[in-house]
Amino acid sequence: MIVRAEAERLALKVPTEPYYAGRWGVTRGVGTFDVVDPVTERRLMTVQAAGPAEVDSAVSFARSALDDGAWGRMDGATRGRLLNRVADLLEERSEEFAALESLDVGKPGFEPRAIDLPQSVRTFRHFAGWADKLEGRSIPTSGYMGRPTVSYTVREPVGVVAAITPWNSPTMIAAWKIAPALAAGCAVILKPPEEAPLTSLLLASLIEEAGFPPGAFSVLPGRGSVTGQLLIDHPGVDKISFTGSPETGYKVAVAAAKGFRRITLELGGKSPQIVFADADLDAAADGVAVGIFANQGEVCAAGSRILVARAFYDEVVERLVTRARGVKVGDPFDEGTTMGALINARQLERVSRYIEAGVAGGARCVVGGGRPGRPGYFVEPTLFADATNSMTIAREEIFGPVGTIIPFDSEEEAVAIANDCDYALSATLWTSDVGRAHRVSRGVKAGAVAVNGWSPLDPSLPWGGFKLSGQGRELGWAGIEANTEEKTVTIVL
Ligand code: TXE
């Protein structure tokens, strides 16, 4: 296992410039920005931000790579081989990536080792497999003016894809966007999060090493309001794949509306975890605790609304309090740490404000609510009981380790509470009744429902939501559809 001092040394070797047009550097840039370690509050690195000149050049180079370059001419099997090469390189260096992710994001060491990195590697392998299997369909028709026809479809790459990623799981979410787009033959321009760009920059160097032709992939670090906005406004971008807040998602949708460019938006959630009276309560308590405390609660699928059958309400609250007390908050590199620091001072302030709102709104804080007495953007795992679904802490995405526990009296009421929400990303059910599992899965409005487990991740499973949670799906076949146009060809015989 890599220790903190070694991770800090590795961070110094990560590229700190944009990569586009097949080279690293800037022509003009728009200055630099500092990346801060959320645990020590010290500067980790300073990165060159891409500006108008770099965005313009990256987009036009990507376009020529598609239209006149080696990338546009490359067959699917070769694209698949290159993607498998990225997977191999990432796997070989996954300890290093995991350590840098912990350092940059503040998440405990075991999480990127067990989740983010294996998931990212599997995502590149999954889409490597798709690259040479993008078949069309042969469709019978009733003919044309009395003459027979042959009609078939082909899938073509959407074109230049801008991928904009958040800071909570930068490697994994970048893989979710890059791998399907490259498999489909698109050219990808990644704008990583300014709070945590380390692993995205390192991933770019792996993609270069894997042998992708210049222009197939670029990375443009910079602030969202500057570099990100320039990229989404650029008319040469054919599709924007965005994961982040609904506020920025709206800006993406507005920018994309000019020219009716395609979008995929994943904008977070306020996901219910429903514990029915027939559930295995021990398994449910373990799963629910993971669902709200994993990655400090900075997870789009965080199960932040915990709905519990009234008959077992006190018992479940007690079990969850015990699980929360068992969480070890500390330096991600310390042995035994199970929860790290929030990403930055702004997020700490946001989460603290919600905790105050919970108390002011009349919910009972049964555990946590404070901050450990140490530097860094830490907050205690926190649970509110005796809450109602109309409270602010039950309605707005907190994006921190704060759960709101709400009682219900019947299955119908549980579904009604679950659906009384602006978001619809995911839901978790805990029950031993198979009929109820299917009934409630159908009744709950969410892009994904998990029964007796929290948010299983797999590159084959479509991921995304609706309502305020966004639109479109990533991963699996949905990831290929999202990055291709289906063309119909008809030959009149
Ligand atoms: O998000 P932003 P922030 C939610 C979560 C969090 C809140 C704020 O509730 O507390 O959003 O986080 C780029 N044009 N989620 O401010 O701003 C930005 O640089 C183009 C949930 O970090 O949406 C970054 O790369 N790009 C979410 C990315 O957008 C712009 C994960 C996300 O940043 C831009 C993250 C612009 N004008 C936050 N402005 C999830 N779905 O899981 C910013 N960006």
Side-chain angles (χ1 to χ4, degrees), residues 165 167 191 194 229 245 248 266 268 300 346-347 350 397:
T165 49
W167 40 261
K191 207 302 281 172
E194 56 269 48
Q229 189 70 45
S245 62
T248 306
E266 202 272 61
C300 47
R346 186 173 67 118
Q347 195 62 20
R350 175 188 171 111
E397 186 181 54

Side-chain angles (χ1 to χ4, degrees), residues 48 52 62 97 103 107 112 159 165 177-178 229 231 246 311 326 358 468-469:
Q48 282 278 346
F97 268 83
L103 190 67
K107 60 171 83 190
T165 49
K177 298 188 186 305
I178 298 167
Q229 189 70 45
L231 189 59
L468 209 56
S469 294

Side-chain angles (χ1 to χ4, degrees), residues 193-236:
E194 56 269 48
E195 297 83 358
L198 257 79
T199 48
S200 304
L201 290 160
L202 195 59
L203 183 61
S205 71
L206 256 55
I207 293 175
E208 182 191 20
E209 189 183 338
F212 279 86
F217 179 78
S218 317
V219 63
L220 298 180
R223 293 186 199 286
S225 55
V226 181
T227 312
Q229 189 70 45
L230 284 166
L231 189 59
I232 63 176
D233 280 337
H234 200 292

